[in-house]
Amino acid sequence: MDSIQERKKNRYKYLCLGFAFFVLILLTLVFTVGVGAMQIGFGQSLYILWGKICGSALPDVKANAVAVVWKIRLPRLLCGLFVGMGLAIAGTIFQSILGNPLADPYTLGVSTGAAFGASLAILFNILFATMLSTTAFAFAFAFLTLLLVLLIAGRGGGLTTGNLIISGIIISAILSAGISYIKMAAGENVSAIVFWIMGSLVSRQWGHVFLVMPTVLLAGIFAYAFADDLNVMTLGDEEARGLGVNTKQVRLLYLILGSCLTAGCVSVSGVIGFVGLIVPHLLRMWLTADNRILIPLSALLGGLLLLLADNATRLFSGGEIPVGVLTTLLGGPFFLYVFSRKPRRQL
Amino acid sequence: MNETNNPLPRLKARNLDFYYGNRQVLKNINLAVYAGEFFSLIGPNGSGKSTLLKILSGLYAPRKGEVFYENQVLQKINARQRARHLAIVPQNTVQAMPFTCLESILLGLHPHRERFAAISDSQYKRVEQLMELTGTLSLSAQPITQLSGGERQRVALCRALAQEPRVLLLDEAMSELDVAARMQMSGLLKKLCTDCGLTVLAIYHDLNLAYRFSDKVLVLKEGACVSHGTPKTVMTKELFRHVFQVEAEIFADKGFFIQNTI
């Protein structure tokens, strides 16, 4: 049959597309790691990267060039890459599990939890001169928020889509009020909190990479491994159970995976909008709804996009626009354009 | 019908009771369905048909009594194993994600696929045949979100058949099909019963179709079985009056005509 032949051909096409994204990511990384206030040639950046990866001493390169490439730019770029990947995977997961193509990683309030935790840490650091880690606080509070949302949704008659979204909204609203209170308490130091929440990748270090990278890779592998079950779940609980899927377990698994991804990303970068909504949504509209394909492709495209967006803020705006603002500023109108061109019923 | 050459019922229910909270919705239901049999559940709204079907498909556990698939207790068979033998088609299937019809139907292979395994050529071929039989081949590349209710029900039936079930449970699964499509689909299922030994257990919206295609019917009223047997012996004027509160005229072998409510 034609459509079967086409499906087989398409699979091959998706593989090529994925490979292309991957190559573009590598090229972007290598090309842009040398660009910035201190210009380092392409050949030399490649030489530094290669030397560092192989563990050689690099005696013939200036020490500050090595430091800029390896200690300042590469971790920041890698953070952008993995945060983009994580948000896009989380978006794919939440859209499928909530059966709503307009859900995103922040729908369940996990990001508000992270923002609350980070604000709290910043406030304490200001008031009591402590050295609390905003990242650790953000991660912990994101996780607490997830637990709370699950608990409340579960008490209200099971982890149904409606229950989850409503509990998410409620918790989110309460935490938002909490954040406002903290901002007020911070007085004139409020800008630190505001900037954190806007989402930025400025001066992220290897420590951040080592938090977000394993989270994204591990959760991504799990999400990919159970993608067929996730596909079946989109048929609704009754049919999914009829097809032998343990819907409760699979839903819980994906809620935890999606929330871990979101928590990992938000605690490293703050709240970066639109990547997690737009990337899976567009790929689903243009290519397929099959999560087996959507999860890896979303991850690669999400990573690539945030990498490019962060480079844009870094190189063209003098680092003044936080990348979270840029993604929403550019992503919003672009989404509007796509939305107005497509027949609505596709959504 | 095949009781003589195969005395073991494919699906058997013994003394089923079921409650929603304190409200009893099924009272002491007993039934046996054999290989190759087309079995219909009929009864007015709220008589417990859907609940019974969910128990028979293993989705709900009965409060009392047991369901046997061949000679195993249905609740003790693991879900994946069960899905290789029993397929369920609910009345409303809404898939919010824009899968194509082909991809949606391929989900029916899920219980037969190992994780990461690609779909084999023989599986594709069988799905293609089923799509031809169910009239979904021409919809193949269309997103499921753009289909009409009737088309979605065809896809759902096709997906259930792709599951290679030995028992197919239908919960008013043809309610949105037009008259011709219902006849054709019921005929197809009947043929699969006689030719391949499929067992169909269906809740029928359309009593004429139940009359025409069923080997046996079971009539439920207020959660209890009021009658049970071949359509000709069960679906009588008295039954229509007593259970459905209508006056009906019966034309032997052809069906009946509802004249009036009582």
Side-chain angles (χ1 to χ4, degrees), chain A residues 202-322:
Chain A
V202 175
S203 64
R204 296 303 187 262
Q205 295 151 359
W206 281 107
H208 296 106
V209 177
F210 291 136
L211 172 69
V212 70
M213 184 175 72
T215 311
V216 169
L217 292 181
L218 261 180
I221 287 168
F222 269 100
Y224 178 75
F226 291 88
D228 282 335
D229 300 75
L230 188 60
N231 285 338
V232 174
M233 294 279 290
T234 62
L235 290 168
D237 266 28
E238 203 176 311
E239 261 198 284
R241 285 178 63 202
L243 283 163
V245 172
N246 186 332
T247 51
K248 273 187 194 159
Q249 270 179 19
V250 173
R251 176 168 295 118
L252 196 63
L253 170 75
Y254 273 101
L255 285 173
I256 290 174
L257 287 178
S259 302
C260 279
L261 283 166
T262 313
C265 292
V266 174
S267 55
V268 162
S269 69
V271 183
I272 293 179
F274 262 88
V275 177
L277 170 66
I278 229 177
V279 170
H281 188 85
L282 289 185
L283 287 177
R284 191 180 291 115
M285 239 159 65
W286 287 336
L287 306 176
T288 172
D290 185 351
N291 287 300
R292 174 73 71 206
I293 291 158
L294 214 49
I295 288 174
L297 283 187
S298 291
L300 291 167
L301 184 60
L304 180 63
L305 274 185
L306 195 57
L307 191 57
L308 291 172
D310 183 42
N311 270 316
T313 60
R314 191 170 71 91
L315 302 174
F316 302 125
S317 80
E320 280 172 19
I321 304 179

Side-chain angles (χ1 to χ4, degrees), chain B residues 168-189:
Chain B
L168 182 61
L169 301 118
L170 310 174
D171 188 350
E172 297 194 3
M174 302 181 201
S175 56
E176 292 184 53
L177 294 178
D178 59 46
V179 182
R182 265 186 223 177
M183 287 285 285
Q184 186 234 334
M185 204 63 93
S186 305
L188 167 66
L189 295 180

Side-chain angles (χ1 to χ4, degrees), chain B residues 30-34 36-42 52-53 56 168 170 193 199-204 210 213-219 228-229:
Chain B
N30 289 284
L31 63 83
V33 195
Y34 295 87
E37 209 167 42
F38 199 120
F39 193 106
S40 296
L41 296 174
I42 60 173
L52 178 56
L53 201 79
L56 293 173
L168 182 61
L170 310 174
C193 289
T199 298
V200 173
L201 218 155
I203 294 176
Y204 256 101
F213 286 101
S214 311
D215 297 307
K216 279 197 194 131
V217 290
L218 184 144
V219 188
H228 166 217

